Amino acid sequence: MDSNHNSNLFFTTILLILLSLCSSFSVQDSEPIASLLNSLDAKKPSPSEQESAARGVLLRLLPTHLSSFEFKIITKDACGGNSCFQISNYKSSSKDSAEIMIKGTTAVDITSGLHWYLKYWCGAHVSWDKTGGTQLGSIPKPGSLPPVKYEGVTVQRPVPWNYYQNVVTSSYSYVWWDWERWEKEIDWMALQGVNLPLAFTAQEAIWQKVFAEFNISKQDLTDFFGGPAFLAWARMGNLHGWGGPLTQNWLNKQLIMQKQILSRMIELGMTPVLPSFSGNVPAALKAIFPKANISRLGDWNTVDGDPRWCCTYLLDPSDPLFIEIGEAFMKQQIKEYGDVTDIYSCDTFNENSPPTSDPTYISSLGSAVYKAMSIVDKDAVWLMQGWLFYSDSVFWKPPQMKALLHSVPFGKMIVLDLFADVKPIWKSSSQFYDTPYIWCMLHNFGGNIEMYGILDAVASGPIDARVSENSTMIGVGMCMEGIEQNPVVYELMSEMAFRSDPLQLEEWLTTYSHRRYGKSVQQVEAAWKILHRTIYNCTDGIADHNTDYIVKFPDWDPSVKNQHGRSEIMQRHKLVGIQQQRRFFLRETSSTLPQPHLWYNNQDAISALKLFLDAGDQLAEIPTYRYDLVDLTRQSLSKLANEVYLSAIHAFRDKDLKALSLHSLKFLQLTKDIDTLLAADDNFLLGTWLESAKKLSVNAEEKKQYEWNARTQVTMWYDNTKYVQSKLHDYANKFWAGLLEAYYLPRAAMYFKRLLKSLEEHEDFKLEEWRKEWIAYSNKWQAGAEVYPVTAHGDAVTIAKQLQQTDRLIFLICSSLHTAELVLPKIDPNLKFINPKSLISTPSHQYQATFWEITDYRAFRD
């Protein structure tokens, strides 16, 4: 071998080493991010405090095994420079010693390791209480825990952060929580590895004190803050005053709660994300500072631009007053909570566009927002939702995006790629133009209840983003608008905070099924294979709001005379099953009829349901199984109701009175059947939501206000007129027992009643009269005080079996009946609307020869 060859080999080796070093470099290794991580680490409690906090989580989760585990905080150096947890056997000669040692760089890393061990060594499962809760029965007794092989395992975080929450989750899910519920949520976060949670509670109490420094009175704030259920949108400047005013009792209690929340998060080694000033100000500020550059934003979803709610005031960031107020807010937060974080959330233009697209202006805007933070906290980092780049992509072109993203020093802004599970912005923006970002799963809108997900994207998306060329990804996150649904999705997403390599999803789902139900059952494992390729394989790119006709009833006139002929109608409005890579869509091309989201063949879901039911003998007493069975039955029947609704519309257009009667009744019966099913499970009750709201009140006036807030958010949502419903009606719809029977069912019955009357009397369908009727009914219900159950009634498994056996025969049974034999809803003569108690007297799984109890369809009309 000659010297030249040796020389070439030497240089080649050096080059490969250099290339390897370059390729291993990530943005988290950069000086600004490393400096941020070091600054945040310095704020964490002592190792003993964190170990104690981790033991608190274990005590609340598994008190019988408190002595079975030993916890210890270790340095990042012991983990190769990153955050990690280590699981090993506890080495001691004493028979009374702990069995398993779990070490971690923070308390939340320790609790993550605890959860990992309970899952993968003990076959346990942890989810929200309202999604079936925990399955801990598979954990062996103390003294018999499974040992870890060899020297144990080390699991590193491939990226520093696991972010949690959306800015609106506080309104859709947390609004009525007490400390007991908050404590459970923080424990859940700790077990799932969340170390960067949003902490937005009580900011109104801070603002009250801050604005007082600028001569704004408490009275001036009565039409500025939104009501409890609408605070998220008042904070973002979308609305003001709606559902308010806030009482001093509310403000005081929330401030106490926030201090408890922050204290627990910090004990566990989490870094809370606190709010900062976005420029949203009360109207009174304009009068006090007439020379300030304060403009009024445009309307956000009111029906007629009512100034009582719309068009909030924005203080321009270029105005010196912006920095003053922002600085005062930051100081007041630190005074109340201490120096607990360096990361602050601010979304100045969430669904509100800047007044100009000039990049220079946008850059100055960003600089001012950041200055208001950094003038108080020199290490401040601006955390911004990237939703605006998706929702208002027409405005945010590359020049505007770059201007905002580059308006602060590198490392001083982190972007949440909020909808990366469906519409990843990092791919189309050159990694947010080299700005650090967090890969987030949005998944849920409005807290809707619908089985839905993209498991393959969740399992691969964060890894693909992290290893992509020039990646600036520094975290993963869950940014759902509402929680307590689809537990499989959130367990998988949480694991991605600790997974560096792709996982075998089919295998993971099999073990998930085993953990969730506490045993291996062939039928449910087969069912989960079906669910994976159908319900949890939505790849159509559509944001999944639940728009099923039961919970979001169409507001439109189906009159044939308003269309272009029967053949075109049938083409425009019919159920078309389009199989495309195992995906099915409910397709209609009319711009007037809303389209329910259907991305799979419902018959496949029904096949999975049959498998679930077949496992009932083995799993009937398992809460997690019962929850999943109810949810899958509900979803299958709801999709069937979509088909029934379209059949009714086709019958109306065909002027087929008998068919319209039949299909209308089928729709109403399915609604009632779902309500009966949901009433048998504690996790699907309207009463729980309403009672939790009333529980926070201290007097009759607050009780009335809080209940109105709770009822309005899940129904009309925002303002309406006599003939025009809210633009956001049903946005936060829920499949809850009580809500279906008392709200969705009467609304649909009013509509079908008028369709029938239109056909029989040969007159136009009076859409406005229906609107007037149901809007009046809605407003009365929103202001109501009827009490709904907070405990389940009936056996969910038995009801699900009966519904599966009978509702699939609805079409055959109804086809054999004569119109005169149908039982139709009676009308209470003292009311202008249908009495929901008399709509349907007998659920379909109990009927004999007839479907209803009265003998003439004209009762439905009259």
Side-chain angles (χ1 to χ4, degrees), residues 34-45:
S35 176
L36 171 62
L37 290 169
N38 290 334
S39 172
L40 294 172
D41 286 343
K43 298 179 189 293
K44 297 195 187 314

PDB file of all heavy atoms in Angstrom, residues 34-45:
ATOM      1  N   ALA A  34     -29.281  26.189  23.778  1.00  0.00           N
ATOM      2  CA  ALA A  34     -28.567  25.611  24.913  1.00  0.00           C
ATOM      3  C   ALA A  34     -28.585  26.566  26.104  1.00  0.00           C
ATOM      4  O   ALA A  34     -28.757  26.150  27.262  1.00  0.00           O
ATOM      5  CB  ALA A  34     -27.126  25.285  24.515  1.00  0.00           C
ATOM      6  N   SER A  35     -28.423  27.862  25.822  1.00  0.00           N
ATOM      7  CA  SER A  35     -28.457  28.868  26.877  1.00  0.00           C
ATOM      8  C   SER A  35     -29.842  28.927  27.527  1.00  0.00           C
ATOM      9  O   SER A  35     -29.968  29.051  28.752  1.00  0.00           O
ATOM     10  CB  SER A  35     -28.085  30.235  26.302  1.00  0.00           C
ATOM     11  OG  SER A  35     -28.196  31.248  27.282  1.00  0.00           O
ATOM     12  N   LEU A  36     -30.889  28.838  26.701  1.00  0.00           N
ATOM     13  CA  LEU A  36     -32.258  28.836  27.226  1.00  0.00           C
ATOM     14  C   LEU A  36     -32.485  27.635  28.136  1.00  0.00           C
ATOM     15  O   LEU A  36     -33.035  27.764  29.243  1.00  0.00           O
ATOM     16  CB  LEU A  36     -33.263  28.820  26.070  1.00  0.00           C
ATOM     17  CG  LEU A  36     -34.733  28.594  26.454  1.00  0.00           C
ATOM     18  CD1 LEU A  36     -35.241  29.710  27.352  1.00  0.00           C
ATOM     19  CD2 LEU A  36     -35.592  28.477  25.203  1.00  0.00           C
ATOM     20  N   LEU A  37     -32.057  26.461  27.680  1.00  0.00           N
ATOM     21  CA  LEU A  37     -32.240  25.251  28.478  1.00  0.00           C
ATOM     22  C   LEU A  37     -31.502  25.359  29.816  1.00  0.00           C
ATOM     23  O   LEU A  37     -32.031  24.960  30.861  1.00  0.00           O
ATOM     24  CB  LEU A  37     -31.754  24.027  27.697  1.00  0.00           C
ATOM     25  CG  LEU A  37     -32.603  23.624  26.487  1.00  0.00           C
ATOM     26  CD1 LEU A  37     -31.881  22.572  25.651  1.00  0.00           C
ATOM     27  CD2 LEU A  37     -33.964  23.095  26.935  1.00  0.00           C
ATOM     28  N   ASN A  38     -30.301  25.919  29.787  1.00  0.00           N
ATOM     29  CA  ASN A  38     -29.538  26.089  31.023  1.00  0.00           C
ATOM     30  C   ASN A  38     -30.233  27.068  31.969  1.00  0.00           C
ATOM     31  O   ASN A  38     -30.275  26.861  33.181  1.00  0.00           O
ATOM     32  CB  ASN A  38     -28.119  26.583  30.718  1.00  0.00           C
ATOM     33  CG  ASN A  38     -27.270  25.511  30.054  1.00  0.00           C
ATOM     34  OD1 ASN A  38     -27.507  24.320  30.230  1.00  0.00           O
ATOM     35  ND2 ASN A  38     -26.276  25.930  29.282  1.00  0.00           N
ATOM     36  N   SER A  39     -30.779  28.147  31.398  1.00  0.00           N
ATOM     37  CA  SER A  39     -31.494  29.137  32.208  1.00  0.00           C
ATOM     38  C   SER A  39     -32.727  28.529  32.870  1.00  0.00           C
ATOM     39  O   SER A  39     -32.996  28.766  34.053  1.00  0.00           O
ATOM     40  CB  SER A  39     -31.906  30.320  31.327  1.00  0.00           C
ATOM     41  OG  SER A  39     -32.749  31.219  32.037  1.00  0.00           O
ATOM     42  N   LEU A  40     -33.455  27.716  32.113  1.00  0.00           N
ATOM     43  CA  LEU A  40     -34.655  27.080  32.658  1.00  0.00           C
ATOM     44  C   LEU A  40     -34.294  26.030  33.703  1.00  0.00           C
ATOM     45  O   LEU A  40     -34.991  25.875  34.714  1.00  0.00           O
ATOM     46  CB  LEU A  40     -35.474  26.455  31.530  1.00  0.00           C
ATOM     47  CG  LEU A  40     -36.082  27.445  30.530  1.00  0.00           C
ATOM     48  CD1 LEU A  40     -36.713  26.701  29.355  1.00  0.00           C
ATOM     49  CD2 LEU A  40     -37.116  28.335  31.212  1.00  0.00           C
ATOM     50  N   ASP A  41     -33.199  25.298  33.466  1.00  0.00           N
ATOM     51  CA  ASP A  41     -32.756  24.300  34.442  1.00  0.00           C
ATOM     52  C   ASP A  41     -32.422  24.959  35.780  1.00  0.00           C
ATOM     53  O   ASP A  41     -32.653  24.379  36.853  1.00  0.00           O
ATOM     54  CB  ASP A  41     -31.531  23.543  33.920  1.00  0.00           C
ATOM     55  CG  ASP A  41     -31.895  22.545  32.819  1.00  0.00           C
ATOM     56  OD1 ASP A  41     -33.092  22.213  32.683  1.00  0.00           O
ATOM     57  OD2 ASP A  41     -30.972  22.103  32.099  1.00  0.00           O
ATOM     58  N   ALA A  42     -31.878  26.169  35.710  1.00  0.00           N
ATOM     59  CA  ALA A  42     -31.486  26.867  36.938  1.00  0.00           C
ATOM     60  C   ALA A  42     -32.692  27.265  37.783  1.00  0.00           C
ATOM     61  O   ALA A  42     -32.561  27.518  38.985  1.00  0.00           O
ATOM     62  CB  ALA A  42     -30.661  28.109  36.583  1.00  0.00           C
ATOM     63  N   LYS A  43     -33.865  27.335  37.162  1.00  0.00           N
ATOM     64  CA  LYS A  43     -35.079  27.710  37.894  1.00  0.00           C
ATOM     65  C   LYS A  43     -35.759  26.515  38.555  1.00  0.00           C
ATOM     66  O   LYS A  43     -36.714  26.679  39.321  1.00  0.00           O
ATOM     67  CB  LYS A  43     -36.074  28.382  36.933  1.00  0.00           C
ATOM     68  CG  LYS A  43     -35.596  29.675  36.299  1.00  0.00           C
ATOM     69  CD  LYS A  43     -36.651  30.234  35.349  1.00  0.00           C
ATOM     70  CE  LYS A  43     -36.110  31.408  34.534  1.00  0.00           C
ATOM     71  NZ  LYS A  43     -35.826  32.586  35.360  1.00  0.00           N
ATOM     72  N   LYS A  44     -35.310  25.319  38.243  1.00  0.00           N
ATOM     73  CA  LYS A  44     -35.996  24.127  38.747  1.00  0.00           C
ATOM     74  C   LYS A  44     -35.709  23.915  40.232  1.00  0.00           C
ATOM     75  O   LYS A  44     -34.650  24.297  40.743  1.00  0.00           O
ATOM     76  CB  LYS A  44     -35.592  22.902  37.937  1.00  0.00           C
ATOM     77  CG  LYS A  44     -36.002  23.003  36.464  1.00  0.00           C
ATOM     78  CD  LYS A  44     -35.923  21.686  35.764  1.00  0.00           C
ATOM     79  CE  LYS A  44     -36.153  21.800  34.267  1.00  0.00           C
ATOM     80  NZ  LYS A  44     -37.287  22.612  33.880  1.00  0.00           N
ATOM     81  N   PRO A  45     -36.615  23.282  40.947  1.00  0.00           N
ATOM     82  CA  PRO A  45     -36.415  23.019  42.376  1.00  0.00           C
ATOM     83  C   PRO A  45     -35.256  22.060  42.607  1.00  0.00           C
ATOM     84  O   PRO A  45     -34.726  21.449  41.665  1.00  0.00           O
ATOM     85  CB  PRO A  45     -37.745  22.371  42.803  1.00  0.00           C
ATOM     86  CG  PRO A  45     -38.720  22.697  41.728  1.00  0.00           C
ATOM     87  CD  PRO A  45     -37.918  22.816  40.474  1.00  0.00           C
TER      88      PRO A  45
END
